[in-house]
Amino acid sequence: MRAKSAHYAQTFAAAAATLLASAVVLSVAACGVSDQSAVKTTTAPVDPARAPADVHWENYQGVQLPIGSHDGPSKLGTTAAGFSHTPQGAALAAINHSTRLSLAPDGAWPQVAAISLIPGPAKDSWVLARAQVSITAPANPVVAPRITAYRLTAYTPVRADLTVYATYSDASVTATAETVLWASEDWRLLLADPAAKTQTVQSVPSVPADAVKLEPPK
């Protein structure tokens, strides 16, 4: 059971930097995003340890994703966009972008990549790799991850580095390093440089006590 979930975790989490074994994504003009409400930048003091407020969960391709009433995404359609310019908005953006990139079906991934990713060699590499595979079905619920926590390791108004924790049906836990940049008035995912061969996903014994806990539905 553990071997199966560990294998799936490597495939799933690689959207942040090692998705499908070689970083991936595409530069296509995004469309089909429907505005639901405008996310306002908060004036409250920056507190990276504070959990996003008023979070509800929505299923995307078999994985539950956190949606914040205050921190976004406020625009949901084929893609997700409209995150608050806060640590909480950055965390929700990293989680939503990386999951959607990993699981977006064949007809949707170009738009998802265009909205979600910072341009550069990592994005180009992701796009080339993604074009060679096919995803037509949701994640298998037996091995689908539950996003249970995150921990910001560094935060500035223009960049956030964090670790996202996911648990699996066999109680195993993975930690995925992710980075988002504030660009074009939103948080966008920066994939790891493929030339650096950075390991972004690893198994861990448990979720750290100082991580910001999330409570996805079971």
Side-chain angles (χ1 to χ4, degrees):
M1 188 75 169
R2 176 177 290 273
K4 181 185 290 185
S5 64
H7 173 74
Y8 182 83
Q10 289 290 343
T11 302
F12 165 79
T18 53
L19 173 64
L20 303 170
S22 59
V24 190
V25 116
L26 163 134
S27 50
V28 171
C31 61
V33 178
S34 58
D35 284 339
Q36 293 182 345
S37 61
V39 168
K40 298 180 180 179
T41 300
T42 182
T43 57
V46 173
D47 180 9
R50 178 179 64 80
D54 299 328
V55 169
H56 66 278
W57 296 78
E58 293 193 7
N59 184 295
Y60 181 79
Q61 288 285 89
V63 175
Q64 295 293 328
L65 290 178
I67 310 296
S69 298
H70 301 292
D71 297 305
S74 66
K75 304 171 186 178
L76 282 173
T78 302
T79 62
F83 296 91
S84 67
H85 197 180
T86 64
Q88 292 72 32
L92 292 175
I95 292 169
N96 276 270
H97 288 333
S98 60
T99 305
R100 285 171 173 268
L101 282 170
S102 298
L103 299 175
D106 294 346
W109 70 262
Q111 294 178 2
V112 175
I115 280 287
S116 304
L117 292 176
I118 294 291
K123 177 178 180 177
D124 296 341
S125 179
W126 191 94
V127 170
L128 290 174
R130 179 60 181 86
Q132 298 178 48
V133 301
S134 178
I135 297 176
T136 58
N140 184 336
V142 175
V143 296
R146 296 177 66 244
I147 309 301
T148 48
Y150 69 87
R151 184 169 66 89
L152 280 158
T153 54
Y155 178 81
T156 70
V158 296
R159 176 177 176 136
D161 298 301
L162 64 155
T163 302
V164 177
Y165 298 93
T167 60
Y168 296 82
S169 57
D170 64 352
S172 61
V173 181
T174 59
T176 303
E178 299 185 358
T179 296
V180 289
L181 304 183
W182 185 255
S184 301
E185 300 302 312
D186 211 348
W187 292 109
R188 301 176 192 277
L189 194 65
L190 176 66
L191 298 180
D193 184 349
K197 301 186 183 303
T198 304
Q199 182 178 353
T200 58
V201 185
Q202 59 182 332
S203 297
V204 295
S206 61
V207 175
D210 61 348
V212 177
K213 304 302 191 297
L214 300 171
E215 297 183 4
K218 294 183 179 181

